Amino acid sequence: MSEDDDRATPPAEPNYDDEFDAIVVGAGPAGSASALTMADAGLDVIMIERGAYPGAKNVFGGVLYTPTIRELTDIDDAPLERYVGEKRFGMLSPEDETAVSVKPNQWHQEPHNDSYTVLRGDFDEWFAEQAVEAGATLITETTVTDLIREDDGQIVGVDTDRPEGELRAPVVVLAEGGNSLVAEGADLKDPSPREDVAVAVKEVIEFPGDGNEIEDRFRLTEDSGVSYHYFGEGAVGDAFGGAFMYTNDDTVSIGLAYRIEDAVTSQPKPEQTLNEFKSHPAVAPLVRGGRTVEYSAKTIPEGGADAMPDLVHDGAVLVGDTAGLVLNNGVHLEGTNMAVESGYHAGNAIITAMANDRTDANALLEYPRNLEESFVVQNLERYEWLMETAVEDKDLLFRDLPRAIADASEEYFSIDRDPKAEHADEAKDRILQTIGGWSGAAKLAWRYRKVMTS
Amino acid sequence: MSTTQNSVDNASLEDRLYTVKYEDPGESHLDVKVTGICEERCRTDDCVDVCPADVWREGEDGVPHIAYENCLECSSCRFACPHNNVVWTYPENGSGVTYSFG
Ligand SMILES: Cc1cc2nc3c(=O)[nH]c(=O)nc-3n(C[C@H](O)[C@H](O)[C@H](O)COP(=O)(O)OP(=O)(O)OC[C@H]3O[C@@H](n4cnc5c(N)ncnc54)[C@H](O)[C@@H]3O)c2cc1C
Ligand code: SF4
Ligand code: SF4
């Protein structure tokens, strides 16, 4: 944990009017990536962050995906916790687990599949510092409250909660995260309906011991770590969502996320759902004896490609979670990489537009064009149907099937004096019964064929 | 649930909330727009159900009581209210919650 003392103190009353080419609202991964891109090209950028330091108010699950960050800066000194050497997917019925573990040896070699666990309090501060070293100005403890517009609608700056806190620049990058009060307040985006937003709660857990607690518990060597994903009733009750556990240097991040729609209908309070998940027989031994050192909560926009707002406006662009760029479908939970990639493309489009002395929406179109060709929009579109279909099949996928698979596995591997063939038949019958026989299985396979083939 | 040998000593919500640094902004950054909507139209208290920090609590007159000092700034209550009746702003000058880990 970093101490407060070495955090930069913000200027008491910043007054930088008209000195900047671009204002970035928010110093999360999207904001810092765009500020770094623009500062590298020689633009004067100011980044405004409401926390006492970048990351002070940020929360995520745990894995940072680094391909684009590696392009933007040297990540050797980044505060990375562990590289991900194992991914595991566990289906939890109320009492049982059936899991698949993926451990390619390749992941132990550099660049480790570009997946590292991080703590945002440390990482966001480091990444913002890279933008500052490239020449960007950062002010903290300052909240942007509104956008300033000319009569013709062109956005020309921001207002903040500082006395006389107006700042002007030809273009504003809205990198404020999923709780996009500024973008919504200025009508650049509609508030997301609650079916498209998940509530997430998380804990960081520490263990007493000799310092090798994490390695011992998760059977790790040196810097390798794990990312465990869980679904089913044992993870998030009746809700649509999933749970996670990630290993840090000497702590574990554990939490879960599910749709707000379910949180207000079928579920007990989020912290109660988290308690139940932590007490699941397959999960409890991994966290036993641990002490909660931090509890946190946040929302995740998960409306996907269909819910993306317009990305460019006269004098403003939307990036990262503000633009709804998160892939969250149980198998993947990725947003940091999309945030960085979008910040990078937005930054480049602004560099081009500024070179032509224009920052109206048309002049900024290079950003959405490049984003559409990047993995960001392509991945969102690829999985759009999956969320919709999975919502329709929610009970089957998250409740009935995990139960049936757990039952079937128990049956298949049960040791007694009956021949194995009988156990196998019985196990098969249990699964078939749940999914509606062979024709049900065929329909299900057809519905989800695109996971592997598209 | 038979978790006897595996059970976890889950901290209370109060203990959990102690783990974050909190600087009191001095006044609530959360409110309801129209109390009448909570009193008359809302039968759900969705704001109360979703809040992971027990900030929104059922009030006697149907208007939720807001213990803003515990707010984790997650924004769930804002999205949860079916009547778009939550006034949600950030605590001023970076006050409110600070996470060490995130
Ligand atoms: C529980 C959870 C688990 C997740 N797990 C993963 C994961 O394992 N891997 C992954 O890649 N992604 C994960 N995500 C998604 C990922 O966290 C986000 O997609 C990513 O952080 C988005 O980055 P951003 O820069 O767009 O927004 P944010 O990270 O939210 O940053 C926004 C910044 O803007 C600041 N800000 C906001 N409003 C203002 C304002 N008005 N004025 C000044 N500053 C402001 C905030 O303080 C913050 O620093 C997870 C998310 C959650 C909630
Ligand atoms: S959900 Fe909305 S309308 Fe209902 S009590 Fe809460 S704030 Fe009021
Ligand atoms: S923002 Fe989150 S923690 Fe704060 S009151 Fe709303 S739901 Fe509760």
Side-chain angles (χ1 to χ4, degrees), chain A residues 65-87:
Chain A
Y65 302 96
T66 48
T68 316
I69 300 175
R70 210 182 271 287
E71 294 287 309
L72 292 175
T73 185
D74 180 2
I75 66 163
D76 283 350
D77 325 319
L80 308 173
E81 298 279 312
R82 291 175 179 274
Y83 69 83
V84 175
E86 177 189 2
K87 261 181 180 291

Side-chain angles (χ1 to χ4, degrees), chain A residues 202-232:
Chain A
K202 172 186 170 184
E203 280 183 20
V204 176
I205 296 180
E206 196 176 70
F207 303 94
D210 57 7
N212 292 323
E213 276 290 315
I214 305 295
E215 285 86 344
D216 295 347
R217 268 168 206 257
F218 294 87
R219 296 173 299 150
L220 305 176
T221 45
E222 295 174 10
D223 294 342
S224 78
V226 301
S227 88
Y228 288 178
H229 307 260
Y230 299 91
F231 2 60

Side-chain angles (χ1 to χ4, degrees), chain A residues 17 21 48 100 110 172 192 198 241 249 256 266 286 292 299 303 310 326 349 413 449:
Chain A
D17 240 10
D21 297 317
I48 306 175
V100 175
E110 297 261 9
V172 177
S192 308
D249 258 350
L256 42 84
S266 62
L286 296 171
T292 301
T299 53
D310 287 340
V326 180
F413 292 110
R449 72 197 179 282

Side-chain angles (χ1 to χ4, degrees), chain A residues 251-266:
Chain A
T251 53
V252 163
S253 296
I254 182 169
L256 42 84
Y258 50 88
R259 287 196 315 177
I260 287 183
E261 186 71 16
D262 300 325
V264 297
T265 49
S266 62

Side-chain angles (χ1 to χ4, degrees), chain A residues 311-332:
Chain A
L311 301 181
V312 289
H313 301 268
D314 291 337
V317 298
L318 274 53
V319 294
D321 278 13
T322 303
L325 308 177
V326 180
L327 184 64
N328 184 15
N329 59 21
V331 186
H332 308 281

